[in-house]
Amino acid sequence: MESVTLAEMTEEVRRRVGENSGFGHTVKFDFGEVGKIFIDAVSVPNRVTNEDGKAETTVQVKFEDFCKISSGKKSPAAAFFAGRLKVSGNVGVSWKLGSIIGPERAGGPLDTE
């Protein structure tokens, strides 16, 4: 099966976040060499880009792990406790991310295997 690209995942996250998620925070997912996904859910309409903007919370995770978490194939808590996901800044914000980008927000999970 095909791998998901950063552009495809960015578009999926953009769709899940929508124009006004009510989330009210800025979050950056840092995938290292692969790139970043930046969510600005403070401004309305909400913005999802690949910018390296300043965020309230930064989540460092391998892109493959993020795709699995996003599709529901991997638990974010398990990835965190295994050291595969690191959070800096406002850690409390990271626990709320499922409400805007979790697998339950998917129209059809992206297949990452």
Side-chain angles (χ1 to χ4, degrees), residues 4-42:
V4 175
T5 67
L6 179 61
E8 290 169 331
M9 183 53 76
T10 301
E11 188 55 38
E12 175 67 9
V13 170
R14 185 175 292 122
R15 187 190 65 71
R16 291 183 188 191
V17 170
E19 288 191 21
N20 188 3
S21 65
F23 184 63
H25 300 281
T26 56
V27 178
K28 176 172 46 180
F29 292 93
D30 184 346
F31 308 120
E33 299 275 325
V34 174
K36 296 167 179 48
I37 294 179
F38 179 81
I39 301 171
D40 177 354
V42 174

Side-chain angles (χ1 to χ4, degrees), residues 27-78:
V27 178
K28 176 172 46 180
F29 292 93
D30 184 346
F31 308 120
E33 299 275 325
V34 174
K36 296 167 179 48
I37 294 179
F38 179 81
I39 301 171
D40 177 354
V42 174
S43 62
V44 177
N46 294 173
R47 292 182 319 114
V48 177
T49 68
N50 296 116
E51 295 173 8
D52 189 8
K54 184 174 180 174
E56 183 180 350
T57 303
T58 299
V59 179
Q60 291 178 294
V61 61
K62 287 185 178 182
F63 184 67
E64 297 80 19
D65 288 331
F66 178 81
C67 292
K68 289 177 182 175
I69 291 167
S70 180
S71 70
K73 294 179 183 174
K74 180 176 252 183
S75 158

